[in-house]
Amino acid sequence: MQAIPIPAVDPSLPELHFDDRYFRDPHGTVAPLLRAGARVARVPELGTLIFLRHADVAEALLDRRFGAMGTRYYEQQGWSDGLYIDWVRRTVVFLDPPDHDRLRDLLSRAFTPRQVARVRPITEEIATQLADAAAEAREVDLYDAFAQRLPLQVICGLLGIPTIDHGAVGDWTAALSLATATPTPEARVGADRAMQSFDDYVSRLVAERRVRPGDDLLSALIAVEEGGDRLSKDELVAMVVQLLYAGHETTRNLIGNGLFTLLRHPAELARLRRDPSLLQSAVEEMLRYEPPILFLSRVALVDVELAGLSVRRGDLVHVNLASANRDPEHFADPDRFDVGRAENRHLTFGWGMHFCLGAHIARMEGRVAFETLLRRFSGIELVGPPPSWAPATALRTLETFPVRLTPA
């Protein structure tokens, strides 16, 4: 299917291209626009608006006149069918009420205090095991050895996914990541293949747990019910894939981006080592400074005005989390990385009805990760040239992260 015709957008607005330069250097690309006082830019490739300022981004995320993007972002690039698109159509973060509210309510009932209470000791145990293995190797890729494995093993453990299958799950979610921004034909094929693998695998797990339920999150999701309402098989598969994807890809980026930022700011790293009580504010500053996701997309459900511009019903728009988190109108000295920053209402987890349901778990995993790394290693240093940021994905992540570790 051909792409939806690119709408006409006010040509007098500054441009922000969704290209490799932006994805590799979002802050440097947007900084001149912020300095010039811009509140909004246009994305020529899609004929869309992208809002840059903290106040406007927060307003859009809270305003229910802006609905979830559904499949619109992909349709505007000519991608309207296939298994990946089918998954997007069933996934809670891409849906509006009433479907969104129903699925989110059912999902929240599975995140009981009992389930959440299990997470921290499991996370601490896994982090210790991974750090021990990395200490033996001394030189590792931080993603492969720790940042990806920690949240992946945690979410897989919560869902009762056998250890032997963790690698395959990681590969499938990596393929989905390549479809998040400007997917190439190869990325689309890879995402569809990953969804076929996910569908086959999760369907088998669901069938097994219906017969032999366990003490895990998947069994809880199967059992959850309210007023006779249950999750269908397709809804269960979509939700499990969303949990696996969002439950480790973004947290991996929190850990990786956060450590990379600490290494680029050695005085702040030394400060955090001296005063571990700063860890909670440090994790929030990592989330602000290099957010795991660069932007979100929404569709106007009615005609609405934002940032002094008229947005028409049906228009696709974007809200730039990275620039909102560096907005000088909201943050003092926003380009300074400060592990003790006190006022830090960043928008990394979104806002409003789509606020990340797993935010508290991600924050906990981030704190455990840095508690473990800083305690276990007296030295962490980059090996070779500075690593590059990945292009063509809305997820903010390094391509590789080779480090040399000195055990404490």
Coordinates of all heavy atoms in Angstrom, one line a residue, residues 99-146:
D99 N -11.1 0.8 24.7 CA -10.2 -0.4 24.7 C -9.0 -0.2 25.6 O -8.6 -1.1 26.3 CB -9.8 -0.7 23.3 CG -10.9 -1.2 22.4 OD1 -11.9 -1.8 22.9 OD2 -10.9 -0.9 21.2
H100 N -8.4 1.0 25.5 CA -7.2 1.3 26.3 C -7.5 1.1 27.8 O -6.8 0.4 28.6 CB -6.7 2.7 26.1 CG -5.7 3.2 27.1 ND1 -6.1 3.8 28.3 CD2 -4.3 3.1 27.1 CE1 -5.0 4.0 29.0 NE2 -3.9 3.7 28.3
D101 N -8.6 1.7 28.3 CA -8.9 1.7 29.7 C -9.2 0.2 30.2 O -8.8 -0.1 31.3 CB -10.1 2.6 30.0 CG -9.8 4.1 29.8 OD1 -8.6 4.4 29.5 OD2 -10.7 4.9 29.8
R102 N -9.9 -0.5 29.4 CA -10.2 -1.9 29.7 C -9.0 -2.7 29.9 O -8.7 -3.4 30.9 CB -11.1 -2.5 28.7 CG -11.3 -4.0 28.8 CD -12.2 -4.6 27.7 NE -12.0 -6.0 27.7 CZ -11.1 -6.7 26.9 NH1 -10.3 -6.0 26.1 NH2 -11.0 -8.0 27.0
L103 N -8.1 -2.7 28.9 CA -6.9 -3.5 28.9 C -5.9 -3.0 30.0 O -5.3 -3.8 30.7 CB -6.2 -3.5 27.5 CG -6.9 -4.2 26.4 CD1 -6.2 -4.0 25.1 CD2 -7.1 -5.7 26.7
R104 N -5.8 -1.7 30.2 CA -4.9 -1.2 31.2 C -5.4 -1.6 32.6 O -4.6 -2.0 33.5 CB -4.7 0.3 31.1 CG -3.6 0.9 32.0 CD -3.5 2.3 31.9 NE -2.5 2.9 32.8 CZ -1.3 3.2 32.6 NH1 -0.7 3.0 31.4 NH2 -0.5 3.7 33.6
D105 N -6.7 -1.6 32.8 CA -7.2 -1.9 34.1 C -7.0 -3.4 34.3 O -6.6 -3.8 35.5 CB -8.7 -1.7 34.1 CG -9.3 -2.0 35.5 OD1 -8.9 -1.4 36.5 OD2 -10.3 -2.8 35.5
L106 N -7.2 -4.3 33.4 CA -6.9 -5.7 33.5 C -5.5 -5.9 33.8 O -5.1 -6.8 34.7 CB -7.4 -6.5 32.3 CG -8.9 -6.6 32.1 CD1 -9.2 -7.2 30.8 CD2 -9.6 -7.4 33.2
L107 N -4.6 -5.2 33.1 CA -3.1 -5.4 33.3 C -2.7 -5.0 34.7 O -1.9 -5.6 35.4 CB -2.4 -4.6 32.2 CG -0.8 -4.7 32.3 CD1 -0.3 -6.1 32.2 CD2 -0.2 -3.8 31.2
S108 N -3.3 -3.8 35.1 CA -2.9 -3.3 36.4 C -3.3 -4.3 37.5 O -2.6 -4.3 38.6 CB -3.5 -1.9 36.7 OG -4.9 -2.0 36.8
R109 N -4.3 -5.1 37.4 CA -4.7 -6.0 38.4 C -3.8 -7.2 38.5 O -3.8 -7.9 39.5 CB -6.1 -6.5 38.1 CG -7.2 -5.5 38.2 CD -8.6 -6.0 37.7 NE -9.5 -4.9 37.7 CZ -10.2 -4.4 38.7 NH1 -10.0 -5.0 39.9 NH2 -11.0 -3.4 38.7
A110 N -2.9 -7.4 37.5 CA -1.9 -8.4 37.6 C -0.6 -7.9 38.3 O 0.2 -8.6 38.8 CB -1.5 -8.9 36.2
F111 N -0.5 -6.5 38.3 CA 0.7 -5.9 39.0 C 0.3 -5.7 40.5 O 0.2 -4.5 40.9 CB 1.1 -4.6 38.3 CG 1.9 -4.8 37.1 CD1 1.4 -4.9 35.8 CD2 3.3 -4.9 37.2 CE1 2.2 -5.1 34.7 CE2 4.1 -5.1 36.1 CZ 3.5 -5.2 34.9
T112 N 0.0 -6.7 41.2 CA -0.4 -6.6 42.6 C 0.8 -6.4 43.4 O 2.0 -6.6 43.0 CB -1.0 -7.9 43.0 OG1 -0.1 -9.0 42.9 CG2 -2.3 -8.3 42.2
P113 N 0.7 -5.9 44.7 CA 1.8 -5.7 45.5 C 2.6 -6.9 45.7 O 3.8 -6.9 45.8 CB 1.1 -5.2 46.9 CG -0.1 -4.6 46.4 CD -0.6 -5.4 45.2
R114 N 2.0 -8.1 45.7 CA 2.7 -9.4 45.8 C 3.6 -9.6 44.7 O 4.8 -10.0 44.8 CB 1.7 -10.5 46.0 CG 2.3 -11.9 46.1 CD 1.2 -12.9 46.5 NE 1.8 -14.3 46.5 CZ 1.8 -15.1 45.5 NH1 1.2 -14.7 44.3 NH2 2.3 -16.3 45.5
Q115 N 3.1 -9.3 43.4 CA 4.0 -9.5 42.3 C 5.1 -8.5 42.3 O 6.3 -8.9 42.0 CB 3.1 -9.3 41.0 CG 2.2 -10.4 40.7 CD 2.9 -11.6 40.1 OE1 4.2 -11.6 39.9 NE2 2.2 -12.7 39.8
V116 N 4.8 -7.2 42.6 CA 5.9 -6.2 42.5 C 6.9 -6.5 43.6 O 8.1 -6.2 43.4 CB 5.3 -4.8 42.7 CG1 6.3 -3.8 42.8 CG2 4.4 -4.5 41.5
A117 N 6.5 -6.9 44.8 CA 7.4 -7.2 45.9 C 8.4 -8.2 45.6 O 9.5 -8.3 46.2 CB 6.6 -7.6 47.1
R118 N 8.1 -9.1 44.6 CA 9.1 -10.1 44.2 C 10.2 -9.6 43.4 O 11.3 -10.3 43.3 CB 8.4 -11.2 43.4 CG 7.2 -12.0 44.1 CD 6.5 -12.9 43.1 NE 7.4 -13.7 42.4 CZ 7.1 -14.3 41.2 NH1 6.0 -14.0 40.6 NH2 8.0 -15.1 40.6
V119 N 10.1 -8.4 42.8 CA 11.0 -8.0 41.8 C 12.4 -7.6 42.3 O 13.4 -8.0 41.8 CB 10.4 -6.8 41.0 CG1 11.3 -6.3 39.9 CG2 9.1 -7.2 40.4
R120 N 12.4 -6.8 43.4 CA 13.7 -6.3 43.9 C 14.7 -7.4 44.2 O 15.8 -7.4 43.8 CB 13.6 -5.3 45.0 CG 14.9 -4.7 45.4 CD 14.9 -3.5 46.3 NE 16.2 -3.0 46.5 CZ 16.7 -1.9 46.0 NH1 15.9 -1.1 45.3 NH2 17.9 -1.5 46.2
P121 N 14.4 -8.4 45.1 CA 15.4 -9.4 45.4 C 15.8 -10.2 44.2 O 17.0 -10.6 44.1 CB 14.7 -10.3 46.5 CG 13.2 -9.9 46.4 CD 13.1 -8.5 45.9
I122 N 14.9 -10.4 43.3 CA 15.2 -11.1 42.0 C 16.2 -10.3 41.3 O 17.2 -10.8 40.7 CB 14.0 -11.4 41.2 CG1 13.1 -12.4 41.9 CG2 14.3 -11.9 39.8 CD1 11.7 -12.6 41.3
T123 N 16.0 -9.0 41.2 CA 16.8 -8.0 40.4 C 18.2 -8.0 41.0 O 19.2 -8.0 40.3 CB 16.2 -6.6 40.4 OG1 14.9 -6.7 39.8 CG2 17.0 -5.7 39.5
E124 N 18.3 -7.9 42.4 CA 19.6 -7.9 43.1 C 20.4 -9.1 42.8 O 21.6 -9.1 42.6 CB 19.3 -7.6 44.6 CG 18.8 -6.3 44.9 CD 18.4 -6.1 46.3 OE1 18.2 -7.2 47.0 OE2 18.3 -5.0 46.8
E125 N 19.7 -10.3 42.9 CA 20.4 -11.5 42.6 C 21.0 -11.6 41.2 O 22.1 -12.0 41.0 CB 19.5 -12.7 42.9 CG 20.1 -14.1 42.7 CD 19.1 -15.2 43.0 OE1 18.0 -14.9 43.4 OE2 19.5 -16.4 42.8
I126 N 20.1 -11.3 40.2 CA 20.6 -11.3 38.9 C 21.7 -10.3 38.6 O 22.7 -10.7 38.0 CB 19.4 -11.0 37.9 CG1 18.4 -12.2 38.0 CG2 19.9 -10.9 36.5 CD1 17.1 -11.9 37.3
A127 N 21.6 -9.1 39.2 CA 22.6 -8.1 39.0 C 24.0 -8.6 39.6 O 25.0 -8.4 38.9 CB 22.2 -6.8 39.6
T128 N 23.9 -9.2 40.7 CA 25.2 -9.7 41.3 C 25.8 -10.8 40.4 O 27.0 -10.8 40.2 CB 24.9 -10.3 42.7 OG1 24.4 -9.2 43.5 CG2 26.1 -10.9 43.3
Q129 N 25.0 -11.7 39.9 CA 25.5 -12.8 39.1 C 26.1 -12.2 37.8 O 27.2 -12.7 37.4 CB 24.4 -13.8 38.7 CG 23.8 -14.6 39.9 CD 22.6 -15.3 39.6 OE1 22.0 -15.2 38.5 NE2 22.1 -16.2 40.5
L130 N 25.5 -11.3 37.2 CA 26.0 -10.7 36.0 C 27.3 -9.9 36.2 O 28.2 -10.0 35.4 CB 24.9 -9.7 35.3 CG 23.7 -10.4 34.8 CD1 22.7 -9.4 34.3 CD2 24.0 -11.3 33.6
A131 N 27.3 -9.2 37.3 CA 28.5 -8.4 37.7 C 29.7 -9.4 37.9 O 30.9 -9.1 37.5 CB 28.3 -7.5 38.9
D132 N 29.4 -10.5 38.6 CA 30.5 -11.5 38.8 C 31.1 -12.0 37.5 O 32.3 -12.2 37.4 CB 30.0 -12.6 39.7 CG 29.7 -12.3 41.1 OD1 30.2 -11.2 41.5 OD2 29.0 -13.0 41.8
A133 N 30.2 -12.4 36.6 CA 30.6 -12.9 35.3 C 31.4 -11.8 34.5 O 32.4 -12.1 33.9 CB 29.4 -13.3 34.5
A134 N 31.0 -10.6 34.6 CA 31.7 -9.5 33.9 C 33.0 -9.2 34.5 O 34.0 -8.9 33.8 CB 30.8 -8.2 33.9
A135 N 33.1 -9.4 35.8 CA 34.4 -9.2 36.5 C 35.4 -10.2 36.1 O 36.6 -9.9 36.0 CB 34.2 -9.3 38.0
E136 N 35.0 -11.4 35.8 CA 35.9 -12.4 35.3 C 36.4 -12.1 33.9 O 37.6 -12.3 33.6 CB 35.3 -13.8 35.3 CG 35.0 -14.4 36.7 CD 34.5 -15.8 36.6 OE1 34.6 -16.4 35.5 OE2 34.0 -16.3 37.7
A137 N 35.5 -11.6 33.1 CA 35.9 -11.3 31.7 C 36.8 -10.0 31.6 O 37.6 -9.9 30.7 CB 34.7 -11.1 30.8
R138 N 36.6 -9.0 32.5 CA 37.3 -7.8 32.5 C 36.9 -6.8 31.4 O 36.6 -5.7 31.6 CB 38.8 -8.0 32.6 CG 39.3 -8.7 33.8 CD 39.0 -7.9 35.1 NE 39.5 -8.5 36.3 CZ 40.7 -8.2 36.9 NH1 41.5 -7.3 36.3 NH2 41.0 -8.9 38.0
E139 N 36.9 -7.3 30.1 CA 36.5 -6.4 29.0 C 35.3 -7.0 28.4 O 35.3 -8.2 28.0 CB 37.6 -6.3 28.0 CG 38.8 -5.5 28.4 CD 39.8 -5.1 27.3 OE1 39.4 -5.3 26.1 OE2 40.9 -4.6 27.6
V140 N 34.2 -6.2 28.4 CA 32.9 -6.7 27.9 C 32.2 -5.6 27.2 O 32.5 -4.4 27.3 CB 32.0 -7.2 29.1 CG1 32.6 -8.3 29.9 CG2 31.7 -6.0 30.1
D141 N 31.2 -6.0 26.4 CA 30.2 -5.0 25.9 C 29.2 -4.9 27.0 O 28.5 -5.8 27.4 CB 29.5 -5.5 24.6 CG 28.6 -4.5 24.0 OD1 27.6 -4.2 24.7 OD2 28.9 -4.0 22.9
L142 N 29.0 -3.7 27.5 CA 28.2 -3.4 28.7 C 26.8 -3.8 28.5 O 26.1 -4.3 29.4 CB 28.3 -2.0 29.1 CG 27.9 -1.5 30.5 CD1 26.4 -1.4 30.6 CD2 28.4 -2.5 31.6
Y143 N 26.3 -3.6 27.2 CA 24.9 -4.0 26.9 C 24.7 -5.6 27.0 O 23.9 -6.0 27.7 CB 24.5 -3.6 25.5 CG 24.2 -2.2 25.4 CD1 24.8 -1.4 24.4 CD2 23.2 -1.6 26.2 CE1 24.5 0.0 24.3 CE2 22.9 -0.2 26.1 CZ 23.5 0.5 25.1 OH 23.2 1.9 25.0
D144 N 25.6 -6.3 26.3 CA 25.5 -7.7 26.3 C 25.7 -8.3 27.7 O 25.0 -9.3 28.1 CB 26.5 -8.3 25.3 CG 26.4 -9.8 25.2 OD1 25.3 -10.3 24.8 OD2 27.4 -10.5 25.5
A145 N 26.7 -7.8 28.4 CA 27.1 -8.4 29.7 C 26.2 -8.0 30.8 O 26.0 -8.8 31.8 CB 28.5 -8.0 30.0
F146 N 25.5 -6.8 30.7 CA 24.8 -6.4 31.9 C 23.5 -5.6 31.6 O 22.4 -6.0 32.0 CB 25.7 -5.5 32.8 CG 25.2 -5.2 34.1 CD1 25.5 -6.0 35.2 CD2 24.4 -4.1 34.4 CE1 25.0 -5.8 36.5 CE2 23.9 -3.8 35.6 CZ 24.2 -4.7 36.7

